RNA sequence: CGGGAUGUAGCGCAGUCCGGUUAGCGCGCUCGGUUCGGGACCGAGAAGUCGGAGGUUCAAAUCCUCUCAUCCCGACCA
């Protein structure tokens, strides 16, 4: 391949999407696999993204009346057993602590000892342990609603893992709330789904579809599971956040009871909702290109990379002095509520090496500064959303305004681009043949990127859903809230249906 | 847990079928020099229990046995 057309990431998305994904993470230095099977090390550039996600969401949680708290990482096995569906759903992926210490064995190694009377489950989710606290905290309707959020790590012993998308241990937030009525708990779970959807749109620049899961995809023990679904660039769906209406199931299991306004004892109505480090996976797959990570400015760890260009010590002093003026322009600058961070890259590498380094990291703007720019009182600005070679000369006095308005522009372009991609790959399908053709790769040996979101009719029978999954690995991602009320026939069995649902292959 | 594959320098690999000097290559790293505004080049250098244990042999990265680990494809999943 000629240097002109060389991409920073190999293979490209078209060549091998899964491998491309791994390479983007590596090239941006976001995370790596650890020696612990299925667990990742999140490196500073990746962790900063997570911190930005936390910061933005935490404010929204606070604004909607929630307070942060922290509960134990260990859940007694007996707690876990109280909600039967819940146990069944998570039993196969639990890490269990059975011993409390290590002792020398005869051969210079260590053996486990001190068996616990009751095994402890490393939390795969905290409904039961938080429920136990809620049971103590709630006595009267005056104690409700109880609106708690926890930022935590959790463990789900997955068979197969992929950085950010599915790891045995991951970081997330889990909101847990208790209410005095069905309506209020339902409203809460829908409200938090909106918070997630708005966040995905406004910060991650990812359009999502809000909807409800079918019974087979529902959270174990929940009455309703709501979700936001996003389309990745390989046209597969990624569940990016969930919110559950738990009815009184968990309240009954944990004994969350209160005296209501009529003086009667009643079980509380609860909800739970969460997003995880998986959002970073969504971010990568929604926007990144064959030159590496692409970051919406609102979630980027840093916004501007300053790259001084010089040939000798004399020029260096001169150029660095000018660069300082540039970085000073952005000192303590806020843009749309976000603190602007600059990266000064003085490393002894060629200009192009430093440029590509920041392209691969997805930094929104690169500012090159050399003797020629200084002579004309300007700098060269390059945008991550444009061709790597494209640069714009900007006068120093206009630079700050130019950069800030360009960040807004880039943020918007990424969203519009992702939205257009989803629209382009979303279809209405009414015939079974067409449906099967849509989800079948032309090249069986090396499947090309194919498929997308299909709005099709479904009769509501789990057997039809199962059929599609078995035949095509396609599942119902959700029953969208914005559904068309329309009579039709089930894509599988042909029986009458009154709504379209969204089908897709998913992560 | 079923099916397939792989363990050789920090990373990626060749060498293994058919045993034979001192185990190579690319990238990266270190040092020196020329470069630097579109992924530079030249020269020198450091770095390896060949996954582990046992066996066969004059001789093992290479053959045999056992073992450990990882990856891929399934089933399970945010």
């Amino acid at each position: 391949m000629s240097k002109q057309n060389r991409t920073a990431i190999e293979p490209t998305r078209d060549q091998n999407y899964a491998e491309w994904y791994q390479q983007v993470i590596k090239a941006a230095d976001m995370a790596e696999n650890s020696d612990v099977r299925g667990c990742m090390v999140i490196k500073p550039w990746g962790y900063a993204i997570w911190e930005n996600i936390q910061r933005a969401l935490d404010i929204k949680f606070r604004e909607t009346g929630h307070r942060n708290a922290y509960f134990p990482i260990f859940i007694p096995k007996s707690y876990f057993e109280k909600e039967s569906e819940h146990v069944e759903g998570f039993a196969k992926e639990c890490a269990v602590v059975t011993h409390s210490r290590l002792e020398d064995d005869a051969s210079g190694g260590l053996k486990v000892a001190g068996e616990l009377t009751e095994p402890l489950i490393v939390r795969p989710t905290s409904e039961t342990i938080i429920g136990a606290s809620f049971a103590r905290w709630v006595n009267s309707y005056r104690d409700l609603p109880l609106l708690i959020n926890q930022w935590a790590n959790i463990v789900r012993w997955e068979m197969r893992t992929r950085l950010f998308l599915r790891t045995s241990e991951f970081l997330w937030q889990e909101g847990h709330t208790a209410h005095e009525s069905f309506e209020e708990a339902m409203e809460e779970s829908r409200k938090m789904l909106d918070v997630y959807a708005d966040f995905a749109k406004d910060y991650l620049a990812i359009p999502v579809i809000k909807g409800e899961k079918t019974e087979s995809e529902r959270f174990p023990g929940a009455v309703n599971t709501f979700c936001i679904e996003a389309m990745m660039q390989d046209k597969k769906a990624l569940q990016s956040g969930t919110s559950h209406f738990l009815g009184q199931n968990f309240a009954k299991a944990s004994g969350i009871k209160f005296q209501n306004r009529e003086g009667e004892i009643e079980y509380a109505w609860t909800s739970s909702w969460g997003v995880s480090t998986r959002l970073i996976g969504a971010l990568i797959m929604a926007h990144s290109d064959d030159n590496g990570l692409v970051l919406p400015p609102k979630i980027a760890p840093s916004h501007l990379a300053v790259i001084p260009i010089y040939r000798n010590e004399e020029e260096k002093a001169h150029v660095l002095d000018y660069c300082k003026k540039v970085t000073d322009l952005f000192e303590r600058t806020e843009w749309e509520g976000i603190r602007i961070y600059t990266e000064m890259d003085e490393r002894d590498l060629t200009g192009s090496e430093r440029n590509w380094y920041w392209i691969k990291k997805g930094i929104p703007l690169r500012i090159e500064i050399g003797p020629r720019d200084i002579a004309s009182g300007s700098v060269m600005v390059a945008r991550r959303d444009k061709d790597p070679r494209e640069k714009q000369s900007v006068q120093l006095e206009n630079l700050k305004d130019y950069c800030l308005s360009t960040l807004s522009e880039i943020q918007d372009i990424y969203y519009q681009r992702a939205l257009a991609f989803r629209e382009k790959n979303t279809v209405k399908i009414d015939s079974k043949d067409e449906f099967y053709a849509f989800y079948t790769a032309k090249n069986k040996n090396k499947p090309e990127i194919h498929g997308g979101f299909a709005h099709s009719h479904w009769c509501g029978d789990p057997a039809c859903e199962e059929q599609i999954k078995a035949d095509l690995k396609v599942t119902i991602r959700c029953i969208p809230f914005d559904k068309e009320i329309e009579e039709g026939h089930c894509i599988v069995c042909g029986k009458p249906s009154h709504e379209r649902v969204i089908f897709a292959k998913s992560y």
Side-chain angles (χ1 to χ4, degrees):
Chain A
M1 195 176 283
S2 71
K3 271 188 179 176
Q4 198 76 9
N5 298 324
R6 181 179 157 195
T7 57
I9 302 297
E10 286 179 357
T12 62
R13 287 162 290 181
D14 284 341
Q15 287 164 349
N16 183 344
Y17 193 84
E19 180 61 21
W20 164 83
Y21 175 78
Q22 306 285 354
Q23 292 304 323
V24 169
I25 292 170
K26 193 175 168 186
D29 205 25
M30 300 169 82
E32 63 189 18
N33 279 308
S34 73
D35 291 339
V36 183
R37 188 187 136 64
C39 295
M40 64 178 164
V41 174
I42 306 177
K43 300 178 81 171
W45 195 251
Y47 198 76
I49 294 170
W50 178 240
E51 288 180 309
N52 286 344
I53 290 172
Q54 284 186 303
R55 193 172 296 122
L57 277 176
D58 206 54
I59 289 168
K60 286 172 180 272
F61 295 158
R62 178 80 194 228
E63 282 170 358
T64 43
H66 303 85
R67 291 296 181 271
N68 288 332
Y70 190 79
F71 300 84
I73 191 172
F74 300 123
I75 302 177
K77 185 161 139 290
S78 57
Y79 279 36
F80 213 71
E81 285 163 347
K82 286 174 185 167
E83 217 297 333
S84 61
E85 283 185 34
H86 194 60
V87 192
E88 224 174 287
F90 286 106
K92 280 176 280 183
E93 51 185 43
C94 284
V96 184
V97 178
T98 53
H99 290 76
S100 66
R101 65 174 187 272
L102 297 168
E103 288 175 352
D104 288 337
D105 66 8
S107 57
L110 293 167
K111 63 178 181 187
V112 295
E115 189 171 355
L116 304 179
T117 50
E118 180 180 2
L120 297 170
I121 315 292
V122 179
R123 64 181 164 221
T125 180
S126 304
E127 274 75 7
T128 55
I129 189 101
I130 292 181
S133 284
F134 277 22
R136 287 190 293 273
W137 299 353
V138 174
N139 293 301
S140 149
Y141 70 89
R142 292 192 177 89
D143 299 325
L144 298 172
L146 183 53
L147 308 172
I148 294 295
N149 177 64
Q150 152 165 278
W151 289 97
N153 60 334
I154 66 173
V155 169
R156 295 183 188 174
W157 213 260
E158 299 290 348
M159 293 297 183
R160 279 175 70 190
T161 59
R162 291 183 73 187
L163 290 173
F164 292 117
L165 295 176
R166 175 164 298 111
T167 46
S168 295
E169 179 191 16
F170 58 95
L171 305 181
W172 80 345
Q173 64 60 220
E174 47 183 326
H176 294 271
T177 67
H179 307 263
E180 63 175 305
S181 69
F182 172 101
E183 292 76 17
E184 204 185 288
M186 179 61 89
E187 191 192 329
E188 163 78 8
S189 57
R190 291 290 295 264
K191 184 205 290 173
M192 297 320 288
L193 191 73
D194 288 343
V195 165
Y196 290 154
D198 291 346
F199 170 76
K201 181 184 181 192
D202 298 340
Y203 286 81
L204 306 180
I206 299 174
V208 295
I209 293 172
K210 291 184 277 190
E212 181 175 356
K213 287 293 187 191
T214 62
E215 189 185 348
S216 70
E217 300 262 332
R218 196 178 289 154
F219 176 75
V223 176
N224 307 95
T225 287
F226 306 113
C227 62
I228 52 173
E229 294 283 332
M231 184 186 283
M232 303 294 102
Q233 290 181 81
D234 60 352
K235 306 180 190 177
K236 285 160 86 171
L238 183 73
Q239 179 177 309
S240 309
T242 49
S243 182
H244 315 290
F245 170 67
L246 303 174
Q248 292 175 306
N249 293 351
F250 283 89
K252 283 176 182 165
S254 299
I256 310 171
K257 288 181 283 191
F258 68 101
Q259 196 164 15
N260 66 19
R261 288 163 201 263
E262 283 74 47
E264 299 154 342
I265 300 293
E266 187 182 346
Y267 284 107
W269 300 81
T270 65
S271 87
S272 70
W273 29 274
V275 295
S276 70
T277 36
R278 179 178 245 203
L279 282 178
I280 298 174
L283 197 61
I284 297 165
M285 290 202 291
H287 301 302
S288 299
D289 61 19
D290 295 335
N291 285 326
L293 190 63
V294 168
L295 289 172
K298 280 200 176 177
I299 216 72
S302 301
H303 307 87
L304 311 151
V306 177
I307 301 167
I309 308 283
Y310 47 80
R311 287 162 204 260
N312 50 47
E313 287 302 311
E314 190 192 343
E315 273 187 4
K316 181 176 177 180
H318 190 42
V319 171
L320 291 184
D321 193 47
Y322 190 85
C323 287
K324 178 78 167 60
K325 279 189 206 161
V326 171
T327 52
D328 281 351
L329 282 178
F330 295 95
E331 191 69 19
R332 276 190 285 277
T333 295
E334 285 214 351
W335 158 77
E336 301 197 16
I338 307 277
R339 171 75 174 271
I340 294 295
Y341 287 100
T342 56
E343 299 279 350
M344 183 67 186
D345 192 348
E346 294 179 46
R347 289 177 301 167
D348 186 23
L349 298 170
T350 64
S352 54
E353 257 186 300
R354 284 175 290 164
N355 253 312
W356 282 102
Y357 174 87
W358 291 107
I359 290 169
K360 286 184 281 195
K361 281 181 115 58
I363 203 156
L365 296 172
R366 307 186 303 281
I367 301 179
E368 273 179 50
I369 300 173
R372 293 208 294 266
D373 305 302
I374 298 174
S376 63
S378 63
V379 300
M380 295 302 276
V381 181
R383 302 163 51 150
R384 184 61 181 85
D385 63 318
K386 305 269 190 182
D387 186 279
R389 280 174 289 271
E390 199 174 317
K391 288 183 283 189
Q392 171 83 39
S393 178
V394 180
Q395 288 296 309
L396 197 56
E397 60 268 29
N398 303 329
L399 184 63
K400 187 171 175 180
D401 287 346
Y402 177 85
C403 287
L404 297 186
S405 65
T406 304
L407 289 177
S408 299
E409 204 179 301
I410 290 174
Q411 180 80 27
D412 188 51
I413 284 170
Y414 289 165
Y415 178 77
Q416 294 304 335
R417 199 185 272 176
L419 183 62
F421 182 84
R422 190 186 77 190
E423 300 293 303
K424 195 177 135 210
N425 293 291
T426 299
V427 294
K428 272 189 187 178
I429 299 182
D430 290 316
S431 95
K432 190 172 179 179
D433 287 349
E434 204 185 318
F435 190 91
Y436 274 64
F438 186 63
Y439 287 114
T440 304
K442 291 185 179 66
N443 183 346
K444 274 186 183 150
N445 298 325
K446 191 177 175 297
E448 74 282 3
I449 290 173
H450 67 282
F453 286 3
H455 288 255
S456 294
H457 278 279
W458 173 58
C459 61
D461 185 348
C464 290
E465 196 181 4
E466 185 53 41
Q467 182 74 54
I468 292 286
K469 189 177 179 184
D471 290 350
L472 300 168
K473 288 190 208 165
V474 168
T475 50
I476 297 175
R477 297 324 304 153
C478 69
I479 303 160
F481 294 153
D482 294 334
K483 62 191 161 196
E484 327 212 346
I485 301 302
E486 177 197 291
E487 294 307 313
H489 298 280
C490 177
I491 197 78
V492 184
C493 67
K495 284 181 191 157
S497 149
H498 58 275
E499 64 187 5
R500 288 178 186 274
V501 299
I502 295 174
F503 288 91
K505 291 190 181 181
S506 77
Y507 279 93

